[in-house]
Amino acid sequence: MGRFDEDRLDMIALLREKGIADERVIGAMSRVDRHRFVPEPFTSRAYEDSALPIGKGQTISQPYTVAFMTAALGAGSGEKILEVGTGSGYQAAVLAELGARVFSIERNLELLAAARKVLDRLHYRVATRGGDGTVGWSEFAPFDGIIVTAGAPDVPGPLLRQLKDGGKLVVPVGTLSRQSLIVVTRSGEHFDRREVEGFKFVPLIGKMGWQ
Ligand code: SAH
């Protein structure tokens, strides 16, 4: 076993204890080397269930949060998924492991370049672009699923319109200090909205985000 394999198994066991029961998500997360997405000074802590700094005031999300959001999104193999907030690239890699076709947008170009490098080195096929993801990625819309990994002041309207019929949008919405996770499912022109309490994300900044 490699240096990190045991840590990763412990992380997976903890996710199960905390209630993550989706075996596809568990499988995908047990295949992604989280330590490759964490900056050097923090690699020894890569499998702790906590968010860690990735530079530019941003963080790689806590493994439990990634697992919870990925399960809520329910991304199936071959599905087209848009991620807003590439960050370290870890969430994108987990989605790619699930067999999704991943499109990911990041506003910070330095973070995007670093994520791109890791994703390429590990041969994850993820399409990325720099820019404001609150307006979506119309060239590739509609999507089976959209996941926003930064906290928004409200559900960004353009993202709803880029969902396929039956598609799901997972987005943390709230104040700058605390958000609920909102899961919106589209059926035709009806958008069903469910809410899960108690998450903390870095802010989503942009046209439909915080200014
Ligand atoms: N999914 C990431 C989490 C990164 S934190 C991971 O797995 O590591 C959220 C990221 O969203 C930050 O990198 C931040 O720069 C980015 N972000 C914030 N507002 C954004 C916007 N409007 N469009 C695209 N990215 C945004």
Side-chain angles (χ1 to χ4, degrees), residues 58-59 83 85-88 91 105-107 131-133 149 204-205:
Q58 306 303 317
T59 55
E83 177 191 27
T86 316
S88 67
Q91 172 76 71
I105 308 175
E106 169 58 53
R107 69 187 292 273
D132 180 2
T149 65
L204 180 75
I205 298 167

Side-chain angles (χ1 to χ4, degrees), residues 4-209:
F4 290 100
D5 291 345
E6 210 168 317
D7 289 354
R8 191 164 46 252
L9 287 174
D10 289 345
M11 177 190 84
I12 294 296
L14 183 63
L15 291 177
R16 285 189 196 280
E17 270 171 45
K18 289 186 170 180
I20 302 298
D22 186 323
E23 288 306 320
R24 295 181 58 253
V25 173
I26 289 285
M29 288 183 70
S30 59
R31 291 191 299 273
V32 180
D33 284 343
R34 191 168 190 265
H35 62 276
R36 307 275 222 132
F37 294 88
V38 165
E40 187 61 56
F42 300 103
T43 42
S44 65
R45 299 178 50 195
Y47 294 97
E48 287 178 12
D49 192 23
S50 52
L52 294 168
I54 56 172
K56 308 290 156 196
Q58 306 303 317
T59 55
I60 177 174
S61 303
Q62 180 184 350
Y64 175 76
T65 304
V66 172
F68 192 97
M69 290 180 80
T70 307
L73 188 67
S77 187
E79 289 192 343
K80 214 159 80 176
I81 304 294
L82 174 67
E83 177 191 27
V84 177
T86 316
S88 67
Y90 177 72
Q91 172 76 71
V94 170
L95 292 167
E97 278 288 350
L98 281 168
R101 291 156 59 204
V102 187
F103 298 82
S104 185
I105 308 175
E106 169 58 53
R107 69 187 292 273
N108 185 290
L109 300 182
E110 276 178 58
L111 292 179
L112 181 60
R116 195 59 274 167
K117 221 188 239 175
V118 180
L119 290 168
D120 287 342
R121 198 179 300 141
L122 300 178
H123 306 291
Y124 285 113
R125 288 178 53 193
V126 171
T128 54
R129 80 165 169 87
D132 180 2
T134 63
V135 296
W137 197 341
S138 54
E139 294 91 320
F140 295 103
F143 298 96
D144 296 288
I146 302 179
I147 180 169
V148 181
T149 65
D154 209 340
V155 175
L159 299 185
L160 291 175
R161 290 189 288 278
Q162 292 184 18
L163 276 181
K164 274 187 199 169
D165 196 9
K168 267 188 192 162
L169 167 66
V170 178
V171 54
V173 172
T175 63
L176 281 169
S177 58
R178 192 135 197 96
Q179 301 89 27
S180 300
L181 200 63
I182 305 286
V183 182
V184 183
T185 308
R186 178 172 197 168
S187 5
E189 286 313 302
H190 178 73
F191 296 88
D192 176 68
R193 185 176 162 138
R194 277 196 302 127
E195 192 169 330
V196 191
E197 285 300 318
F199 286 87
K200 171 81 185 81
F201 289 81
V202 297
L204 180 75
I205 298 167
K207 188 158 173 266
M208 300 290 159

